[in-house]
Amino acid sequence: MNPYGTRFTKEDRKNRTILMPNLTPEFSKIMQVAIESIGCRAEILPLADENAVSLGKYYVHNDICFPAQLNIGEVLLALKSGRYNRDEHAMGLSKNCKACRALQYFALARKALDRAGFPDVPLITSGEDVLDIHPGFKVNFTFRIKSLQGMAFVDAINDMRQKTLPYEKNPGETQALHAKYLNEGTDALRTGFRHVKGKLRKAVEAFNAVESDRSVRKPVVGIVGEILVNYHPTANYRMAEYLLKNGMEVFLPPLLDFFRQEIMVLKESADLGFERFPILDRLNGAIMGFIYNHHTDAVDNIMKNFKYYEPRSSIQALRDYGAEVINPAFSSGEGWLLPGEIISMIKKGVKSFVIVQPFGCLPNHISGRGIIRAVKEKYPQIQILSIDFDPDVSAGNIENRLQMLIMSARERMTPAAGS
């Protein structure tokens, strides 16, 4: 019996809507536009609550990583709610990182759908479809460009939010602006990048008009780690909100850099002889780099008008920073990007960091927890707290550990660079 007998066909493109679990609410809106750009329909699901986490834990065996349980639980909760006709919907799932269990989520999802009573609900993924489970859904150049353009925009408005929010005079104003321009920017994405840039210019003007005082900086805490736990509010127990409420300024790295690292990985693999066609890989990396830089440079030129603008590190700089403590050939999990992000923030005056990862995530225990000693030996003035997350982690324990970091951050506080 073929375990992947239920396929998403070309006919399903017209008849089914793809249910999308979350990485972040912002990323979901980008992916919705990208999926629509290739002729499919998509619907964003609510962020996981306790019921979704319980379903994920029940239908995905308990020793698999938290992101798989979380995203599969979001879809199962939707299907079990009765709001969605099983004949009119499919499940969407990301698929990346060859050395990570994220590559196998689709197998876990198929098994969970079958066990939960939905064997007739097809599954699509964003990765290579080697088992031909979704012949009616193929990621193409249009999908990738829309994703790139959307992430460049979202990173920009997220940056303005996180630099303004801790210092706003009128509580709620910054968040309301972010929500407004997130909706308007992703709507503009449907019509073209020129319209997206127009929305970003207006967003810069609006954020500049927010009454805020950043002359005295609060302690800055950088949050890095496994991509879903790092950005999904339920997965990290709304850590960013907790730190903000306790007087911290929170910095989350740009989401796009996670995908940009592929450029450097292609070049590194080709230079080390790991690839069968190194010349082709170098060429692909150069083309990808040009496309990324074209869009990020356009966004950066607009962001220079933001009152709290700081230049972001290039992907080459992040690679070089990461190479201080880990070989650039290591690309599992977040690979050299994670230490690269930490060192990049250190160069800007940040002294406190939290590394987050799913419990038992081997790639991120190497590139996350595993690099703490090496980084602190080079930069002894910093503190790094590593936290593992799973469905049974205690919120009280997490908050107690964060309080220790918060107290130490206040003691270490000096004005960050660029203040």
Side-chain angles (χ1 to χ4, degrees):
M1 179 179 177
N2 182 2
Y4 303 104
T6 302
R7 303 160 76 223
F8 186 91
T9 65
K10 291 182 179 179
E11 290 73 24
D12 288 326
R13 295 166 64 90
K14 300 177 182 178
N15 302 328
R16 294 184 184 268
T17 298
I18 299 168
L19 300 178
M20 297 170 47
N22 292 277
L23 175 60
T24 70
E26 298 92 342
F27 185 77
S28 295
K29 291 182 74 68
I30 297 166
M31 289 299 101
Q32 184 179 35
V33 176
I35 289 172
E36 290 172 355
S37 74
I38 57 175
C40 296
R41 298 192 305 271
E43 181 172 340
I44 303 169
L45 294 176
L47 284 169
D49 59 11
E50 291 182 3
N51 294 323
V53 173
S54 295
L55 283 170
K57 180 180 175 181
Y58 182 80
Y59 286 104
V60 182
H61 57 85
N62 203 35
D63 63 346
I64 202 66
C65 96
F66 191 21
Q69 297 171 331
L70 200 69
N71 276 172
I72 293 170
E74 285 178 336
V75 175
L76 291 178
L77 182 63
L79 291 172
K80 283 180 171 290
S81 71
R83 297 193 305 271
Y84 300 95
N85 188 325
R86 63 199 302 153
D87 297 325
E88 297 176 356
H89 292 87
M91 176 181 179
L93 203 62
S94 62
K95 181 181 174 187
N96 65 298
C97 188
K98 293 180 181 179
C100 173
R101 286 171 291 185
L103 187 67
Q104 310 301 329
Y105 285 178
F106 74 98
L108 298 171
R110 181 70 270 162
K111 184 177 180 180
L113 287 169
D114 293 348
R115 285 186 59 214
F118 303 101
D120 51 341
V121 174
L123 172 67
I124 68 100
T125 74
S126 61
E128 185 181 0
D129 184 20
V130 294
L131 297 175
D132 196 34
I133 64 173
H134 48 83
F137 181 89
K138 300 294 182 185
V139 170
N140 60 18
F141 183 75
T142 300
F143 180 97
R144 296 182 186 280
I145 286 294
K146 288 291 184 184
S147 302
L148 161 60
Q149 293 171 344
M151 279 188 281
F153 172 81
V154 162
D155 281 342
I157 63 171
N158 284 351
D159 183 61
M160 291 190 286
R161 174 177 61 177
Q162 65 187 6
K163 287 176 178 172
T164 306
L165 189 58
Y167 306 100
E168 65 182 2
K169 296 292 186 180
N170 303 307
E173 184 178 4
T174 302
Q175 191 60 42
L177 273 181
H178 181 271
K180 168 183 167 66
Y181 283 102
L182 174 62
N183 289 330
E184 293 185 6
T186 48
D187 284 343
L189 185 60
R190 292 182 169 89
T191 55
F193 192 52
R194 181 170 62 87
H195 295 90
V196 173
K197 290 187 290 184
K199 290 296 181 183
L200 182 58
R201 292 187 186 96
K202 292 183 178 179
V204 169
E205 293 175 2
F207 276 97
N208 282 342
V210 173
E211 189 178 358
S212 59
D213 183 2
R214 202 171 181 244
S215 58
V216 178
R217 294 287 293 275
K218 297 182 178 183
V220 183
V221 178
I223 303 177
V224 297
E226 190 276 330
I227 185 169
L228 187 136
V229 176
N230 202 33
Y231 293 100
H232 194 296
T234 304
N236 59 45
Y237 285 53
R238 299 189 178 275
M239 181 183 296
E241 293 180 16
Y242 182 83
L243 291 169
L244 278 168
K245 289 177 182 177
N246 282 269
M248 302 291 106
E249 178 183 339
V250 176
F251 184 84
L252 280 161
L255 184 61
L256 187 57
D257 285 342
F258 176 81
F259 299 93
R260 292 187 78 184
Q261 69 176 314
E262 183 182 357
I263 300 168
M264 303 307 299
V265 170
L266 278 173
K267 181 179 182 301
E268 204 74 38
S269 296
D271 291 346
L272 292 172
F274 292 165
E275 302 298 331
R276 186 178 180 185
F277 305 106
I279 296 176
L280 182 60
D281 287 322
R282 290 191 189 96
L283 178 61
N284 286 338
I287 293 171
M288 288 170 58
F290 174 81
I291 294 171
Y292 273 101
N293 291 337
H294 171 75
H295 290 89
T296 55
D297 288 351
V299 167
D300 193 61
N301 285 333
I302 297 171
M303 285 295 291
K304 288 177 181 177
N305 296 310
F306 175 51
K307 60 184 177 181
Y308 301 137
Y309 167 78
E310 291 177 327
R312 61 187 287 182
S313 297
S314 69
I315 197 65
Q316 179 66 54
L318 292 172
R319 178 264 183 208
D320 293 343
Y321 291 148
E324 294 183 21
V325 296
I326 194 168
N327 193 301
F330 183 80
S331 59
S332 297
E334 272 55 44
W336 49 260
L337 180 63
L338 193 152
E341 289 170 336
I342 291 176
I343 295 172
S344 173
M345 285 186 258
I346 292 172
K347 303 287 187 184
K348 297 177 180 178
V350 182
K351 296 183 178 180
S352 300
F353 301 90
V354 183
I355 297 176
V356 299
Q357 60 246 327
F359 177 78
C361 175
L362 181 59
N364 258 83
H365 274 72
I366 295 172
S367 62
R369 187 189 296 270
I371 56 91
I372 292 176
R373 181 177 177 179
V375 174
K376 291 185 73 172
E377 285 178 351
K378 287 180 171 289
Y379 303 94
Q381 75 275 22
I382 68 168
Q383 63 167 335
I384 304 178
L385 172 65
S386 176
I387 303 180
D388 293 357
F389 289 85
D390 64 31
D392 301 312
V393 69
S394 164
N397 178 265
I398 291 172
E399 291 180 3
N400 286 339
R401 297 183 68 193
L402 287 175
Q403 279 298 328
M404 295 176 65
L405 176 124
I406 289 166
M407 288 187 288
S408 181
R410 289 171 179 155
E411 293 173 359
R412 297 165 186 261
M413 181 180 166
T414 56
S419 60

